[in-house]
Amino acid sequence: DSLGKSTGDNVGLIAVDNNYIAYDVTDSDDPWPFIVVTAPADIYMESGEEHPYSYSVCNSGEFNPVRALVFDKQLNLNVTFKAGDGPAIDMVQNEVVPMIWEGAWDTRDLMEGEIELVVTAEGTKTRNRTITVRLADVPCPEPIQTQDGGDQDGAEEDGSADDGGEAGDTEMDAGSQDGGQSDQAPGDVDAGSGDLDQTPAAGGCGCATQKSSQPYIPIIFVLFMTLVVLQLRRQRS
């Protein structure tokens, strides 16, 4: 298929979750639901090579974050994640940015090594997105205090994150990178136009943390561009 005429894998979405770039594609003819898993990191790219910014997830943590961007025409979605042969765990829709779904993964009974994690979205139809995660004996994230005083899995309140995994120190812009996952820490999705602090955390993670008060602007921009591409496709057809 030539550029501009293909209807397969012709719409892409890039999301930056701290130091990690998540990338996935869908078809303009049948895109929904569209799932992009941003945490934890997929250790492999679509080519099969290990992602240079992948990191390990602690295998003794109660609050390892799972995050995904889910887009659908249908508003009432049911999103879950499942690790290996474990049970399906409900994910919660973010109140500020509704396309973000979040969950907490308890890995305390799991062994070190690779494990598949599947995010499932039930909406217009049911679709899955599978990534491969590496569990290891690395420092675990701690729950944070939310504005209402409750605990939430992730990083410290200032947005810094300690995933405990090995991460790259390079600041990365959203670009076309293969669909693997990279070195992200379990803080909030790192997007926005604020200054980035890449001071390595205690676990060796050189994680970019966001100081902006509006951390989701680039994700919303990517969503906007995705919708623009879909509209252009409809006009050409």
Side-chain angles (χ1 to χ4, degrees):
D1 291 56
S2 62
L3 182 63
K5 295 183 179 181
S6 173
T7 59
D9 291 345
N10 61 329
V11 177
L13 189 146
I14 301 168
V16 180
D17 197 332
N18 285 296
N19 228 26
Y20 167 61
I21 293 180
Y23 173 74
D24 214 328
V25 295
T26 189
D27 303 339
S28 59
D29 286 347
D30 184 26
W32 318 121
F34 184 20
I35 306 169
V36 182
V37 182
T38 67
D42 191 343
I43 63 174
Y44 295 114
M45 299 186 292
E46 289 294 330
S47 63
E49 298 178 359
E50 186 165 342
H51 197 290
Y53 292 93
S54 64
Y55 59 86
S56 297
V57 174
C58 82
N59 69 324
S60 58
E62 186 178 0
F63 299 103
N64 292 297
V66 177
R67 284 187 295 273
L69 294 170
V70 182
F71 305 91
D72 198 356
K73 294 186 298 183
Q74 182 170 313
L75 297 179
N76 297 321
L77 300 176
N78 181 42
V79 182
T80 61
F81 74 89
K82 181 178 182 292
D85 296 327
I89 299 173
D90 290 334
M91 300 180 72
V92 178
Q93 192 171 25
N94 187 286
E95 295 182 357
V96 179
V97 185
M99 72 280 295
I100 297 178
W101 290 76
E102 302 166 300
W105 181 20
D106 188 344
T107 60
R108 289 175 295 179
D109 295 329
L110 300 178
M111 303 291 292
E112 294 183 36
E114 296 180 6
I115 188 171
E116 285 192 345
L117 187 143
V118 182
V119 173
T120 301
E122 299 176 8
T124 302
K125 61 174 61 175
T126 299
R127 276 192 171 141
N128 303 319
R129 176 71 170 96
T130 302
I131 65 172
T132 302
V133 180
R134 178 181 291 115
L135 295 173
D137 182 15
V138 296
C140 299
E142 296 292 338
I144 64 172
Q145 292 294 320
T146 59
Q147 291 182 352
D148 60 3
D151 287 343
Q152 177 181 345
D153 65 286
E156 299 172 2
E157 286 191 53
D158 61 0
S160 63
D162 181 6
D163 221 346
E166 293 181 356
D169 295 331
T170 305
E171 177 181 342
M172 298 179 65
D173 293 325
S176 109
Q177 185 152 359
D178 231 343
Q181 316 296 330
S182 133
D183 193 58
Q184 104 132 46
D188 289 336
V189 174
D190 182 12
S193 57
D195 295 332
L196 294 178
D197 179 6
Q198 290 185 307
T199 304
C205 173
C207 305
T209 59
Q210 185 53 249
K211 297 179 180 179
S212 172
S213 60
Q214 300 183 15
Y216 303 109
I217 292 176
I219 290 179
I220 296 174
F221 174 74
V222 171
L223 172 61
F224 171 77
M225 293 304 298
T226 301
L227 296 177
V228 168
V229 172
L230 288 174
Q231 184 63 29
L232 290 175
R233 285 293 307 158
R234 293 192 184 99
Q235 293 175 355
R236 291 177 181 175
S237 60

